[in-house]
Amino acid sequence: MLLFPGEMTHHAGMLAACQQLPLVQEMMELATEAFDFDVQRVFEECAPEDFANRTDRSQMLAYVADCAAYELFRQQQPEAAGNPRAVAGFSVGEIAALVAAGIISYDQGLTIVKARAEAMQRWVDEEEMAALAVFGMEEDQLNHLCARVDPEGKPAQKVFISHCWGRKGFVCSGASAAVELLEVLVENEAQQEVVYKQRLEFRLDAGHTPLATAVAAEVEEVIKSIQMNPPQCEVYFNCGFRVAAGEDPSVFAPYLIQQLLMPLRWDVTIRNSLQRGIRRFFECGPGQSLKDLMIFNSFTASPSQTIRPAELTTLVQC
């Protein structure tokens, strides 16, 4: 199974291992034209003035880096890269997974990522948002705390679980004031059990929650304009659905839109893939963020066998 990491994985010197490949050079040129900044230079330097940590640019950089790592993998292991059993991507990495599955072209992915990234950046510019990682609490319990948050007496819920990394590993995202109140509630709950929490300073949007409705509506038109192909392998979507090779591509646009509005179910992706017998993972992209997340995804195959997917994951770093 090929895995593609999401945004905020960039660093100076990215693509050093593959930037001389002719196709990767072409990828960076196309991305520079589409995104209107020098992608190759930002990969090399990631200087403060490049704003690589900004919501829009981090998504754009992640997509290009994931696709470049996949191309490197194709050069190194053409059989494995060309005939995977399944693919999945984390957040914006899902777009790179669609490229690997033959559903869309790299150029079409640039169009989707640009629309998605720019819409989310406009949202971030307009609203103050925050995120809180919570470890050690059951999902139902955390959902209950999110529903109890009532900033400034407003009736509409303003913070939700946005990422499900694994059992008792979550991220909650929402309006900054709501996240602050949630942190207090979690702190009070932690007095009764072992709970660890941490503010995620790098996460500035509330994507993967119902709060992203306006962003999803903005991106929907672009996604629906893309002509998609049946997948060449299984695809595990962030919203929890799996589609088989050859399936009708008409279902993919709704899944991509739902991804912005529903929790990112990485726990479901890894658990289902293990249940279906997948035992080798290749993380295509910068760093090892997904391999690190897999500490939450141990799977009990039998009373005497526990499968730890992090130990089954090979890095394809660019």
Side-chain angles (χ1 to χ4, degrees), residues 182-199:
L182 176 64
E183 189 169 8
V184 173
L185 293 177
V186 170
E187 183 72 33
N188 293 337
E189 203 80 7
Q191 296 176 12
Q192 311 301 321
E193 53 190 302
V194 179
V195 175
Y196 172 75
K197 61 179 177 59
Q198 180 180 350
R199 288 290 288 268

Side-chain angles (χ1 to χ4, degrees), residues 82-129:
N83 299 282
R85 175 170 167 187
V87 298
F90 191 94
S91 194
V92 74
E94 188 165 85
I95 313 302
L98 299 188
V99 174
I103 295 171
I104 60 174
S105 68
Y106 172 76
D107 298 44
Q108 289 174 316
L110 290 173
T111 300
I112 296 173
V113 171
K114 179 180 173 65
R116 181 187 194 274
E118 291 182 346
M120 294 190 79
Q121 184 61 49
R122 285 190 288 272
W123 185 28
V124 168
D125 291 341
E126 293 170 0
E127 297 188 37
E128 189 175 348
M129 292 171 277

Side-chain angles (χ1 to χ4, degrees), residues 4-271:
F4 297 88
E7 50 267 45
M8 302 309 294
T9 53
H10 55 273
H11 58 83
M14 263 188 358
L15 269 61
C18 61
Q19 66 177 354
Q20 298 309 315
L21 295 175
L23 187 53
V24 173
Q25 280 287 328
E26 184 180 348
M27 286 179 177
M28 289 191 290
E29 291 170 4
L30 289 170
T32 294
E33 183 178 347
F35 299 153
D36 199 28
F37 66 90
D38 189 337
V39 170
Q40 181 169 350
R41 189 188 61 76
V42 174
F43 275 139
E44 292 172 351
E45 300 177 12
C46 277
E49 61 270 20
D50 293 324
F51 303 107
N53 290 334
R54 213 168 63 182
T55 297
D56 55 349
R57 288 206 172 179
S58 67
Q59 293 186 44
M60 295 170 179
L61 294 172
Y63 171 72
V64 178
D66 286 359
C67 291
Y70 174 63
E71 178 58 25
L72 178 64
F73 189 40
R74 288 179 60 193
Q75 299 283 331
Q76 294 174 338
Q77 299 191 46
E79 181 63 26
N83 299 282
R85 175 170 167 187
V87 298
F90 191 94
S91 194
V92 74
E94 188 165 85
I95 313 302
L98 299 188
V99 174
I103 295 171
I104 60 174
S105 68
Y106 172 76
D107 298 44
Q108 289 174 316
L110 290 173
T111 300
I112 296 173
V113 171
K114 179 180 173 65
R116 181 187 194 274
E118 291 182 346
M120 294 190 79
Q121 184 61 49
R122 285 190 288 272
W123 185 28
V124 168
D125 291 341
E126 293 170 0
E127 297 188 37
E128 189 175 348
M129 292 171 277
L132 178 72
V134 180
F135 309 94
M137 189 173 287
E138 296 289 350
E139 184 173 354
D140 288 347
Q141 185 181 8
L142 187 54
N143 268 323
H144 176 68
L145 293 183
C146 289
R148 282 176 53 194
V149 172
D150 187 16
E152 301 175 3
K154 295 179 181 178
Q157 187 171 336
K158 292 296 183 181
V159 60
F160 299 84
I161 292 178
S162 58
H163 298 69
C164 302
W165 288 340
R167 187 172 182 272
K168 295 190 176 183
F170 306 97
V171 174
C172 298
S173 303
S176 289
V179 172
E180 289 178 9
L181 290 175
L182 176 64
E183 189 169 8
V184 173
L185 293 177
V186 170
E187 183 72 33
N188 293 337
E189 203 80 7
Q191 296 176 12
Q192 311 301 321
E193 53 190 302
V194 179
V195 175
Y196 172 75
K197 61 179 177 59
Q198 180 180 350
R199 288 290 288 268
L200 301 180
E201 302 299 336
F202 61 84
R203 181 165 168 77
L204 301 176
D205 66 77
H208 309 294
T209 77
L211 301 175
T213 300
V215 171
E218 195 171 338
V219 179
E220 181 175 9
E221 184 177 350
V222 173
I223 291 176
K224 287 186 173 180
S225 72
I226 300 294
Q227 182 68 41
M228 299 188 189
N229 305 309
Q232 298 168 3
C233 62
E234 293 179 346
V235 182
Y236 289 73
F237 284 87
N238 286 179
C239 53
F241 295 109
R242 179 192 65 85
V243 299
E247 190 159 327
D248 182 356
S250 64
V251 300
F252 301 154
Y255 291 170
L256 288 173
I257 295 162
Q258 287 176 43
Q259 184 224 63
L260 293 166
L261 301 171
M262 297 173 59
L264 195 162
R265 301 293 328 201
W266 195 248
D267 56 339
V268 173
T269 291
I270 302 303
R271 182 177 68 244

